[in-house]
């Protein structure tokens, strides 16, 4: 079974630039999550999708972050414009359903904002 | 905000020894999970314990949950160098659609 795929694996940008991350969840997984993991900390949930609808985006900085999950499969997370404090690893995870709680994580995208 | 707090922040042991990590949390939960993260990699689910369970085993892993103290522990027996990683507890709470709240993790180093 293929795991959660993410790209790119690494990205370096300057502040005020835009960046987008892509995630392909495990086939058949209805729930998709985006997390932000700052160095030395645990992952923090940014947004949760159930199929193509948003379940929770309360911790997403909506003035600069946006995410979509068209057709309920792949998802993209965008930052526009980026700030220095956005430097982190962005993890995508999926689960079979929102009530089946084991989450499967992708390798993450390491973002460095200069 | 992070609900779980792991203790210790870092742990260094010899191969073959047991490693114990603790997690404390603040609010009531549906279940508690432990994840492992190798350097520069994504997280891997290790074990899930529900709020009505007190102990669970999986291979060399043993997890306990004390809901009265709002705490959990993860024991790794007969550690191996390959167990070197960061270990996170994550709590699931809410009704229906559960989200995970992660702690800051314990960094385990197993010396060969």
């Amino acid at each position: 079974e293929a795991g959660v795929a993410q790209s790119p694996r690494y990205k370096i940008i300057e502040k005020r630039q835009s960046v987008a991350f892509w995630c392909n969840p495990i086939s058949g997984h209805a729930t998709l999550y985006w997390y932000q993991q700052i160095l030395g900390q645990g992952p923090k949930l940014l947004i949760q999708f159930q199929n193509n609808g948003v379940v929770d985006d309360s911790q997403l900085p909506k003035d600069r972050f946006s995410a979509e999950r068209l057709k309920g499969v792949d998802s993209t997370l965008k930052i526009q414009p980026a700030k220095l404090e956005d430097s982190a690893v962005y993890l995508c995870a999926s689960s079979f359903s929102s009530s089946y709680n084991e989450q499967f994580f992708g390798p993450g995208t390491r973002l460095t904002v200069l | 905000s992070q609900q779980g707090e792991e203790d210790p922040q870092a742990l260094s042991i010899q191969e073959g020894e047991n490693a114990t990590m603790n997690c404390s949390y603040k609010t009531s939960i549906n279940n508690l999970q432990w994840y492992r993260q190798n350097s520069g990699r994504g997280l891997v689910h290790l074990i899930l314990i529900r709020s009505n369970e007190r102990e669970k085993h999986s291979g060399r892993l043993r997890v306990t949950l004390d809901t009265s103290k709002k705490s959990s522990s993860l024991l790794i027996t007969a550690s191996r160098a390959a167990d070197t990683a960061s270990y996170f507890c994550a709590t699931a709470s809410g009704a229906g659609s559960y989200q995970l709240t992660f702690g800051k993790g314990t960094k385990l180093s197993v010396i060969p």
Side-chain angles (χ1 to χ4, degrees), chain B residues 11-74:
Chain B
L11 179 62
S12 185
I13 60 173
Q14 295 290 129
E15 203 166 28
E17 293 181 338
N18 295 342
T20 300
M21 288 159 268
N22 303 297
C23 170
S24 59
Y25 57 93
K26 297 174 183 173
T27 63
S28 62
I29 60 172
N30 297 103
N31 66 65
L32 184 145
Q33 303 176 38
W34 286 90
Y35 285 79
R36 181 186 71 220
Q37 185 174 39
N38 294 92
S39 180
R41 307 278 295 276
L43 285 89
V44 175
H45 181 268
L46 296 176
I47 196 164
L48 180 155
I49 186 165
R50 302 189 191 284
S51 59
N52 60 354
E53 297 176 312
R54 292 296 167 260
E55 189 171 310
K56 206 158 182 184
H57 297 254
S58 177
R60 294 184 296 113
L61 305 180
R62 173 179 169 253
V63 168
T64 61
L65 179 64
D66 187 334
T67 53
S68 66
K69 295 181 179 178
K70 291 187 170 59
S71 67
S72 173
S73 68
L74 171 68

Side-chain angles (χ1 to χ4, degrees), chain A residues 9-10 33 35 37 40-45 48 50 55-56 59 89 91 98-108 110, chain B residues 1-2 30-31 33 35 37 39-45 48 50 88 91-93 96-105:
Chain A
R9 292 294 311 277
Y10 305 92
Y33 312 81
Y35 290 87
Q37 186 176 22
Q41 297 186 20
K44 182 184 85 170
L45 179 69
Q48 176 185 348
Q50 179 71 16
V55 175
D56 186 347
Q59 298 194 85
V89 176
L91 295 164
S98 61
S99 57
Y100 183 79
N101 227 177
E102 178 182 353
Q103 295 184 18
F104 296 82
F105 284 79
R110 183 177 296 276
Chain B
S1 63
Q2 295 183 300
N30 297 103
N31 66 65
Q33 303 176 38
Y35 285 79
Q37 185 174 39
S39 180
R41 307 278 295 276
L43 285 89
V44 175
H45 181 268
L48 180 155
R50 302 189 191 284
F88 295 90
T91 54
S93 54
S97 179
Y98 305 144
Q99 284 107 37
L100 293 181
T101 303
F102 285 82
K104 292 185 178 180

Side-chain angles (χ1 to χ4, degrees), chain A residues 60-73:
Chain A
L60 187 74
K62 298 180 188 64
D63 58 335
R64 297 184 301 105
F65 285 64
S66 64
E68 60 182 9
R69 190 184 184 196
L70 299 176
K71 300 181 183 178
V73 181

